Amino acid sequence: MSDASGPTVRPFPALPAGFRFGAATAAYQIEGAHDEDGRGPSIWDTFSHTPGRTLGGATGDIACDHYHRHREDIALLRGLGVDGYRFSIAWSRLLPRGTGPVNAKGLDFYDRLIDELLAAGIAPAVTLYHWDLPQALEDRGGWRVRETAEAFAQYAALAAERYGDRVERWITLNEPYCSAFVGYAEGRHAPGAQEGSGALAAAHHLLVAHGLAVRELRAAGAREVGITLNLDRLHAASDRPGDLAALRRAEVLHNEVWTEPLLAGRYPGHEAETWSGLADGPWRRPGDLEVIGEPLDFLGINYYRPVTVAAAPHRTDDPELRTAVDIGVAETDPYGTRHTTMGWPVVPAALTELLLDLHARHPRLPPVWITENGSAEDDTVAPDGRVHDTDRIAYLADHLTAVADAVTAGADVRGYFAWSLLDNFEWARGYGQRFGLVHVDYTSLTRTPKDSYDWYRGLITAHRARTEESTP
Ligand code: IFM
């Protein structure tokens, strides 16, 4: 699909005029400068510096060195022609200990970033929490304790007061599923805990943190306020009753634990059978559902792949450990499609299903933004100096078509952020997975736009030309 003039671009007719395109990153994955200008340590600094936790002992100490090269990265965004850029603020750059003294140099960094984005005609979309809890708060209990939710609300107020006049879109939390269950139950992410009720308490406190932050953001006059979830499109391996029950439990663990309190004002219907009644722990307080259910201006969805589940034996006999991720479910992979280097099956139609299912289930669903979508591929710089990532172009094109199909069928989707602008630190998988539209050489830190960068720019230009022509 690519010739000397660049990849061929097919516009997506069903994406309406005003549909917005962007690219996304997160602080710990790109910034580096982990101990500069007063930044305090986060749980990811501690975790990545603990032997055996990340691939090859990789850390975010330098990452893409975006802290020092943000001007170059904004030039790349400008060249891409995006409407918006989604990035996250490192909580411990603003508040090195999570609460207490404010770090002026940290505040200044994001001031510069936001101002330079605006000067480039790019609307900032800020994620307040993309997994990098200040270590000082983890030392006081982390997301297991309510004080962390209260600290998050103070941090949100500080950020909103300082940047609220210039930020278009606020995302309180990114993928709280990973923070709670991958971080506190599976232990594959920071802080690396393997707990049952600790993870369930964390899930609840993350939701409370979100609701308290929404209130602070609104009080400070923030414009669009939402949250980003990595909802799973789940399928049952068969129609057998055991697999259908496994599907119900997986729906609770992956989706309903978030969507029911956020969008329906209640806890999930099947949580007692999923977690043997232990979800309803003392961390829940009267009034919490009202806090969590603060109305949203938009819901962010991160989508990469669908998941099929089957009934499976529990991995442990310990009732406490059975309360989180050990819910008698195994993942199977019947898709028979190409897989990305993450091992994820490429199934764009599942994104259409996910969007339409949400639309059908939730009368209170606000407009949806795809806040992440993209693929990790085995990218190399070719002898011609280019990165010919045709699989990524196909992935992005097919998933944008899936979004367009959902819009045609009635879903209200307003925008799409490609993950990611840059190759970056892929958490426990270190630098082994490349998701970027721009290749990063981790030795020289040279940025090389890939073919997908040119393709995306062409798509955005073609979409604007088509919709502007048809707008009277
Ligand atoms: O890199 C991550 C990102 O931080 C959160 N969503 C999924 C991406 C790919 O794994």
Side-chain angles (χ1 to χ4, degrees), residues 25-26 29 86 130-131 174-175 178 189 228 230 302-304 342 344 372 374 376 419-420 424-427 429 433 435:
T25 63
Q29 294 182 272
R86 174 180 175 230
H130 200 120
W131 307 352
N174 178 72
E175 303 184 3
C178 295
H189 280 184
T228 279
N230 54 329
N302 292 353
Y303 172 84
Y304 291 90
M342 293 290 281
W344 294 346
E372 284 181 27
W419 183 269
S420 178
N424 59 49
F425 175 78
E426 179 55 24
W427 308 110
R429 295 185 183 220
Q433 301 291 325
F435 276 93

Side-chain angles (χ1 to χ4, degrees), residues 36 41 242 264 284 356 387 439:
E36 274 184 57
R284 285 186 181 167
L356 292 178
V387 179
H439 181 275

